[in-house]
Amino acid sequence: MNKKKILNDPVYGFITVPSDLIFDIINHPYFQRLRRIKQLGLTEMVYPGALHTRFHHALGAMHLMDTALHTLKSKNNEINEKEFEASLIAILLHDIGHGPFSHALETAIFKNVHHEDLSLHIMHMLNEAFGGRLGLAISIFTDTYERRFFHQLVSSQLDVDRLDYLNRDSFYTGVYEGKIGADRIIKMLDVANDQLVVEEKAIYSIENFLVSRRLMYWQVYLHKTVISAENMVLRAVQRARELLQQGVEVPASPCLRFFLASDLTMYDFERDGTILERFVSLDDHDIWGGIKLWAAHPDKVLSFLANSILNRRLFKVIISSKPIEQDMLLGISELVQERFGVSEEEVKYLMISGKIGNNAYDVEGQTINMLTKTGYVVDVAEASDLPSIRALSTKVEKFYVCYPKEVAAL
């Protein structure tokens, strides 16, 4: 069988599958599931074109990793064939542990199981299935491989994951302010003292990357309508879980019902292999199927949420740079109770408050290192004479409250 396939990607053009092992991993059911998980969850409620999947993103990130590794090799950085393939596998599988709707439902399906932990667990399972051939990829993914720059390409403040999702999400949403010069950034990459660095002449491309990242967060990922939609789906799933665990019949697919009825930990996944098999059968379709069924449920809270989501009657959102005053929250709570006839305990499903935050560059985390023309390695914030990079390291927090528009009309 010919496994040297070429895929046509709308963002980058043709992407080559470089090895038989990578071809087999892509064809594995665990990876094919990513076709059924949207990259941006409910963002399509705001940007109708945001229908791309985790499958798209993983392949795009692999393509950028391939380009980055070739760039580093061209600058006399020795990378052997095993390291090359392992790095491609590590980035290809970095998001394989995502559940339905990606980040939006991570806390609703499980209590304390994060997608990074599931990704690693699935990688270990695939390593067994492929006869131990993913060992180096796992070391790179977990940052236990001695050559640290490989992990930095997978996970850092300037990794190929971010380069792809900013490019891809900008493309599919039509928010062109988020488009970055990924090609130029990758061509400027190098390695110094086993650390990933960017040549100094790419300083303006890095600034554009950081500005684009902040814009994408406020215009797309943390758009107020996206916050409303994702919180509504989150509350609907939480309500279904609560009812099911109270003994109330709640229709759902077998896999979704299993997870809603259970409070699982990572330890449960590790001791019982059947749980993982249930998880890799779970995708966005299970949630949408559940929501369609819940629209006719006798519980008025669950049915109201489900119908509102299906018909895009999204909650009104108020966003403030200061914490929402308690008197205002109390007033909204009382209006919700009166309008919908729900108890004080049930208000949490129909009035949702919280905070969101974003800083494009975390100066206290793993820095973006610039290689100066004189051979020194410095933080990008020090290398730049642009005050905007330092400003982008400041975390901006906003506070919000969401509630039904029927209340707002009173």
Side-chain angles (χ1 to χ4, degrees):
M1 180 180 181
N2 178 20
K3 297 184 178 181
K4 302 291 184 181
K5 299 294 183 182
I6 296 176
L7 308 173
N8 195 347
D9 179 70
V11 179
Y12 306 121
F14 293 113
I15 293 176
T16 302
V17 178
S19 74
D20 289 3
L21 176 58
I22 290 176
F23 176 88
D24 290 337
I25 291 171
I26 291 172
N27 263 2
H28 194 282
Y30 291 179
F31 191 82
Q32 289 293 314
R33 179 185 68 97
L34 298 182
R35 291 180 182 272
R36 306 189 297 278
I37 297 178
K38 289 193 180 71
Q39 172 77 4
L40 293 182
L42 273 295
T43 306
E44 63 175 289
M45 294 282 189
V46 181
Y47 299 103
L51 300 172
H52 54 303
T53 66
R54 289 277 159 186
F55 184 85
H56 288 136
H57 167 55
L59 292 175
M62 182 192 73
H63 169 73
L64 293 185
M65 177 66 85
D66 184 271
T67 305
L69 293 174
H70 274 109
T71 295
L72 295 179
K73 287 187 70 174
S74 72
K75 297 179 181 180
N76 298 318
N77 295 292
E78 188 167 339
I79 299 173
N80 63 45
E81 290 184 11
K82 289 185 178 180
E83 291 170 330
F84 200 111
E85 183 180 62
S87 299
L88 296 179
I89 293 171
I91 194 65
L92 187 69
L93 298 177
H94 77 284
D95 273 347
I96 200 167
H98 266 296
F101 288 20
S102 296
H103 293 282
L105 292 182
E106 193 163 355
T107 58
I109 302 296
F110 309 112
K111 291 295 184 181
N112 292 300
V113 179
H114 303 289
H115 78 270
E116 293 94 342
D117 297 327
L118 277 174
S119 291
L120 181 57
H121 182 59
I122 292 173
M123 288 174 74
H124 281 296
M125 296 300 101
L126 288 172
N127 191 37
E128 290 184 17
F130 288 103
R133 297 167 69 190
L134 275 62
L136 182 53
I138 291 172
S139 295
I140 290 172
F141 181 79
T142 56
D143 198 17
T144 55
Y145 187 52
E146 58 189 17
R147 306 187 73 189
R148 299 285 306 285
F149 71 89
F150 287 112
H151 175 77
Q152 290 175 320
L153 285 168
V154 175
S155 179
S156 66
Q157 293 200 63
L158 189 65
D159 54 38
V160 294
D161 173 30
R162 293 186 184 190
L163 293 177
D164 180 76
Y165 76 62
L166 288 172
N167 256 348
R168 191 166 300 277
D169 297 346
S170 170
F171 178 88
Y172 279 99
T173 59
V175 179
Y176 296 115
E177 294 87 347
K179 186 171 177 57
I180 59 173
D183 288 344
R184 175 163 174 77
I185 291 173
I186 288 174
K187 293 299 181 186
M188 294 297 106
L189 293 178
D190 205 342
V191 176
N193 302 321
D194 202 40
Q195 297 290 314
L196 192 68
V197 296
V198 188
E199 294 175 18
E200 187 178 12
K201 55 189 173 183
I203 185 71
Y204 298 113
S205 297
I206 298 300
E207 182 196 24
N208 178 60
F209 162 76
L210 295 174
V211 170
S212 297
R213 187 165 184 265
R214 171 157 282 185
L215 288 172
M216 285 295 286
Y217 266 87
W218 291 124
Q219 287 188 237
V220 179
Y221 311 132
L222 298 177
H223 188 288
K224 67 175 187 177
T225 307
V226 174
I227 291 170
S228 174
E230 292 190 344
N231 272 295
M232 289 173 70
V233 173
L234 175 64
R235 288 298 192 271
V237 174
Q238 288 174 338
R239 181 62 170 178
R241 171 191 284 274
E242 181 184 58
L243 293 171
L244 196 60
Q245 294 190 1
Q246 289 176 351
V248 178
E249 175 59 30
V250 178
S253 68
C255 287
L256 180 57
R257 176 188 292 273
F258 172 79
F259 287 106
L260 293 181
S262 312
D263 291 321
L264 300 170
T265 66
M266 202 61 227
Y267 172 74
D268 295 312
F269 276 88
E270 292 166 355
R271 70 175 179 80
D272 185 352
T274 64
I275 296 176
L276 179 63
E277 291 306 313
R278 290 176 184 269
F279 173 74
V280 295
S281 297
L282 197 63
D283 54 46
D284 288 5
H285 299 294
D286 293 273
I287 304 299
W288 280 119
I291 290 172
K292 290 178 73 174
L293 292 170
W294 301 339
H297 197 277
D299 179 76
K300 58 187 175 184
V301 172
L302 184 59
S303 61
F304 175 76
L305 285 168
N307 276 295
S308 298
I309 294 162
L310 288 172
N311 297 306
R312 202 189 176 279
R313 294 196 300 268
L314 304 180
F315 286 3
K316 178 180 175 63
V317 188
I318 295 176
I319 293 184
S320 171
S321 58
K322 298 179 180 179
I324 308 293
E325 294 183 1
Q326 287 301 312
D327 287 347
M328 181 178 182
L329 294 176
L330 182 60
I332 296 171
S333 175
E334 291 173 349
L335 288 172
V336 169
Q337 291 178 62
E338 178 185 343
R339 172 66 176 80
F340 294 94
V342 295
S343 67
E344 189 174 344
E345 175 64 23
E346 293 170 329
V347 168
K348 65 184 178 184
Y349 293 108
L350 302 179
M351 187 195 82
I352 309 156
S353 61
K355 70 177 179 179
I356 51 178
N358 168 240
N359 59 328
Y361 181 53
D362 183 4
V363 292
E364 295 180 359
Q366 192 179 64
T367 59
I368 297 175
N369 292 318
M370 303 295 297
L371 180 64
T372 67
K373 294 175 182 178
T374 55
Y376 289 100
V377 176
V378 296
D379 185 338
V380 64
E382 296 177 22
S384 175
D385 58 358
L386 300 169
S388 56
I389 289 186
R390 293 186 181 277
L392 289 167
S393 67
T394 303
K395 186 170 185 177
V396 177
E397 288 189 334
K398 297 182 182 181
F399 302 83
Y400 68 87
V401 59
C402 313
Y403 54 92
K405 292 179 179 177
E406 290 88 339
V407 170
L410 291 178

